[in-house]
Amino acid sequence: MTTGVRSFILALLFVPMILLSASAVFLEERLDDPEQEERAREISEGIRCLVCQNQSILDSNADLAKDLRQIVRERVALGESNDKVREFLVTRYGDWVLLDPPFKLRTVFLWLGPVLIFIIGAIAAIVFLRGRNRQPDAEEPGELTPAEEARLKNLLDSESDISGHKS
């Protein structure tokens, strides 16, 4: 066999192993009851991975996310309602564990923080741009001083003398 054919065969053997290892992240124990499994998945979609922070525990492959998915499945298997399972996780990890935390005094900054930051940034940008458009403090054009008036008169007189000689 040539090296090209040998490499191709090896690649064909490794592709299934790579695909299996990628999907092995979520090959956990599943609940026998499909309805309970669906509930567990629904709950898991709304729980934040405390390691990844921007993913749900259903999407994360972190060890803590796997543990939390297992806790959710155990609680669902025990017959707890979706709210009870969420309440258990919030009691244990705080409102931060929810991807959609409730609006209350303890979470007000989570909800209003981005709006406040935007408003402060907009005000800062306006102040900055207004400051850039101002001209440096120059003297306002106004009345001529007596010395300037005399000089202007001399210039105008000399100019009229020049133009008067040409005529």
Side-chain angles (χ1 to χ4, degrees), residues 59-162:
D59 299 329
S60 174
N61 62 353
D63 289 336
L64 181 59
K66 290 177 188 177
D67 293 343
L68 289 174
R69 284 193 298 266
Q70 189 59 37
I71 290 171
V72 168
R73 283 193 175 93
E74 288 172 3
R75 297 251 169 206
V76 168
L78 290 173
E80 290 186 9
S81 69
N82 294 7
D83 291 337
K84 284 287 187 187
V85 175
R86 284 187 196 96
E87 184 181 317
F88 172 79
L89 293 171
V90 167
T91 302
R92 204 165 196 189
Y93 299 103
D95 288 321
W96 176 251
V97 78
L98 299 174
L99 279 172
D100 190 18
F103 188 83
K104 55 186 180 183
L105 188 58
R106 292 178 65 192
T107 61
V108 73
F109 188 71
L110 290 173
W111 287 100
L112 299 180
V115 174
L116 291 174
I117 291 170
F118 176 77
I119 291 170
I120 290 169
I123 291 171
I126 290 169
V127 167
F128 174 75
L129 292 174
R130 280 190 170 183
R132 278 185 63 192
N133 290 336
R134 283 195 195 133
Q135 295 295 328
D137 291 340
E139 290 183 20
E140 293 287 325
E143 308 245 346
L144 296 176
T145 63
E148 290 172 332
E149 283 184 20
R151 184 166 179 236
L152 181 60
K153 185 174 185 207
N154 286 338
L155 286 172
L156 291 173
D157 288 342
S158 67
E159 194 173 297
S160 65
D161 289 343
I162 293 173

Side-chain angles (χ1 to χ4, degrees), residues 25-37:
V25 172
F26 302 106
L27 290 179
E28 304 167 1
E29 181 181 327
R30 298 190 190 276
L31 295 171
D32 294 332
D33 184 359
E35 288 180 23
Q36 286 182 337
E37 179 63 27

